[in-house]
Amino acid sequence: MKFLGLLIVLFSFGFSVSSQEKPNILFIMSDDHTSQAISAYCHALSEIFQTPNIDRIADEGMLFNNCFVTNSICTPSRATILTGQYSQHNGVYTLKDPLVPEHNNIAKILQKEGYKTGVIGKWHLKSEPTGFDYYNVLSGQGRYKNPMLKEKGEWQKEGKPFVKCRGVKHKGYSTDVVGQLALDFLKEYNKKEPFMLMCHFKAPHRPWTPAKRFENMFDGVSIPEPASLYEDHSERSEWATQTYNTISRDLKRMDLGVKSKEDTLSGIERTRWAYQIYMKRYLACCAAVDENVGKLLDFLEESGLSQNTIVVYTGDQGFFLGEHGWFDKRLMMEETLKMPLLVKYPEVVKTGSVSDELVSNVDFAPTLLDYAGVNVPEDMDGKSMKRLLSGKKDRHWRDAFYYRYWMHLADHGIPAHYGIRTDRYKLVFYYGRGLGMSGTDSDRIDPFNRDSGPIVPTKPEWELYDLKKDPNEMNNLYGNPKYTRKIQQLKEQLLELKRELGDEDTNYPAMNDVITNYWN
Ligand code: CA
């Protein structure tokens, strides 16, 4: 019997080793691609625009309805994805903060575990990528036509620091160039060690510039308008009347690709006209992304890699597509807080499954490390979503999510704020202080107006939304006596989250006055 037991142990050991081959990871991210523009999310726009290739990931895996970004702006979101940490722990609070190269990240960890690691396309973290065997990243924001890319081992020839280098021009349209480089990486892959490839498209970021082949795809099509497109904001908090993200006034001619003589309307009429052009350009950019995602998925299938490869599709944050009359991101409102998240991993993730759990970009690194069989470092703020992806309940999963946007009035005039989002409620505190964040206090009030004055503190304001009764966040319930107890409870929960996540503002004396005068 002892011998039989030993045999069973040996057999199961051998079996578990061979069956737990480390998975490959293909992480695909677009810039500003929001879930309203992905047909798997069945938004009204899916009637006139489909993303059949991105949808394949949801068909063959899981779609997340509530994936939240910790800080709704490019650079901080990318840093959070790489580090599994909030801004207060990875040091990337604003668009101007570099990710310190010495900081730990998922690529460094996987590289040590024998993964071949690569990142291609948008980087936007100022410092040189570390932990990657191969990188070929866009200079700064990256441009749509004939983009410049900096390749590991090549840009050094310019003899300047990474940030100052221009890189090498690649002929073609940005999305196609990035897609092709990603395909090349996969084709050269030797199948000996597992890989993690991060493929980051620049599209559909401003200035929305479609590929030639998609320029006329919406000719004669009327894009459905969101119900709140013509909202006048007078019923909203004061901050909402002072922003520079309106379709009516703040979409510029260069955004719309029109000449001054074509831009003659104002007010509601301009909103109606500009919205159509904006959406046609934005969606046409997404069309090229979808096409390139299809090529990558096809290649995985044709080369037999599909079965053992985790494919993730996401956008670095959400985006307004005309809701509340706005474009851009930054806010903790549903459209901009939510990231699209679709994950497939055959044999592990059930096809066509859906999750409503509150997950976040802070969970991406812990999840992928967990699948790679690596212990998640204790200083990561996120959690592994492995149980959720297996279709199981995770009793220890979060029931509330903490958000913070640190930039204050820089670009588009959005004030700094933090808040809590539960499955039903959202409480937001616009505390109205820059707190010395880089690129915040030094910027102009109006980025488009050279004569506008310096940044000043703004009046702190609170908002409460009941997302069950008011999914579009039209009625701020803060101050409504019926909700006094709910507000108190959410504030306590918010403080608890701030304690847990090490974001108690003890280093910011400017917050003392705000808390004393505006917390209650
Ligand atoms: Ca972005």
Side-chain angles (χ1 to χ4, degrees), residues 161-384:
F162 178 81
V163 191
K164 298 259 162 90
C165 267
R166 284 168 48 80
V168 172
K169 189 198 271 185
H170 288 246
K171 273 197 90 146
Y173 179 68
S174 171
T175 308
D176 300 334
V177 169
V178 170
Q180 186 56 50
L181 287 169
L183 263 183
D184 293 345
F185 179 96
L186 295 176
K187 283 178 184 166
E188 281 166 28
Y189 166 60
N190 62 17
K191 298 194 181 176
K192 281 185 194 139
E193 65 266 302
F195 70 81
M196 178 185 72
L197 174 62
M198 305 183 96
C199 171
H200 297 172
F201 295 108
K202 181 242 166 36
H205 192 280
R206 198 182 189 189
W208 308 283
T209 312
K212 266 245 163 309
R213 62 188 182 280
F214 291 119
E215 270 176 357
N216 303 108
M217 73 180 289
F218 293 109
D219 281 2
V221 176
S222 174
I223 311 288
E225 296 177 350
S228 56
L229 180 60
Y230 304 103
E231 190 186 323
D232 70 359
H233 308 125
S234 60
E235 299 292 312
R236 288 201 176 266
S237 308
E238 227 171 276
W239 67 261
T241 62
Q242 296 161 357
T243 59
Y244 296 86
N245 58 346
T246 68
I247 290 191
S248 161
R249 183 195 57 211
D250 306 307
L251 277 180
K252 303 296 168 190
R253 283 196 288 276
M254 65 157 217
D255 295 319
L256 305 173
V258 297
K259 299 189 176 79
S260 59
K261 62 176 183 208
E262 297 170 274
D263 187 11
T264 55
L265 303 167
S266 60
I268 284 176
E269 292 307 314
R270 188 173 194 270
T271 303
R272 182 173 294 125
W273 169 78
Y275 170 77
Q276 290 294 323
I277 303 175
Y278 162 48
M279 286 311 305
K280 289 178 181 185
R281 288 168 68 90
Y282 178 97
L283 295 174
C285 286
C286 299
V289 171
D290 187 68
E291 201 180 65
N292 277 280
V293 169
K295 287 182 190 169
L296 295 173
L297 295 178
D298 287 347
F299 181 80
L300 290 182
E301 272 166 29
E302 288 156 14
S303 57
L305 289 167
S306 189
Q307 205 63 9
N308 195 38
T309 301
I310 303 169
V311 180
V312 178
Y313 185 85
T314 188
D316 60 344
Q317 72 314 279
F319 212 75
F320 288 114
L321 299 182
E323 299 86 358
H324 313 291
W326 290 334
F327 66 97
D328 202 62
K329 48 234 178 185
R330 301 158 202 273
L331 285 156
M332 199 190 161
M333 298 189 77
E334 290 295 274
E335 292 81 3
T336 42
L337 175 68
K338 280 187 184 179
M339 307 165 80
L341 179 63
L342 306 85
V343 184
K344 86 176 184 93
Y345 184 11
E347 287 183 16
V348 175
V349 183
K350 220 174 125 200
T351 57
S353 49
V354 175
S355 172
D356 290 329
E357 295 289 349
L358 314 184
V359 302
S360 163
N361 58 341
V362 80
D363 302 321
F364 294 179
T367 305
L368 296 172
L369 289 176
D370 198 5
Y371 275 129
V374 185
N375 287 332
V376 178
E378 284 192 3
D379 63 356
M380 284 195 174
D381 298 314
K383 300 172 176 197
S384 168

Side-chain angles (χ1 to χ4, degrees), residues 31-32 73-74 78 122 205 316-317 329:
D31 199 347
D32 294 357
I73 192 84
C74 300
R78 285 156 200 274
K122 179 127 174 199
H205 192 280
D316 60 344
Q317 72 314 279
K329 48 234 178 185

Side-chain angles (χ1 to χ4, degrees), residues 124-139:
H124 210 210
L125 283 161
K126 313 289 186 287
S127 54
E128 185 190 352
T130 49
F132 293 96
D133 297 305
Y134 169 81
Y135 64 75
N136 209 347
V137 294
L138 291 161
S139 289

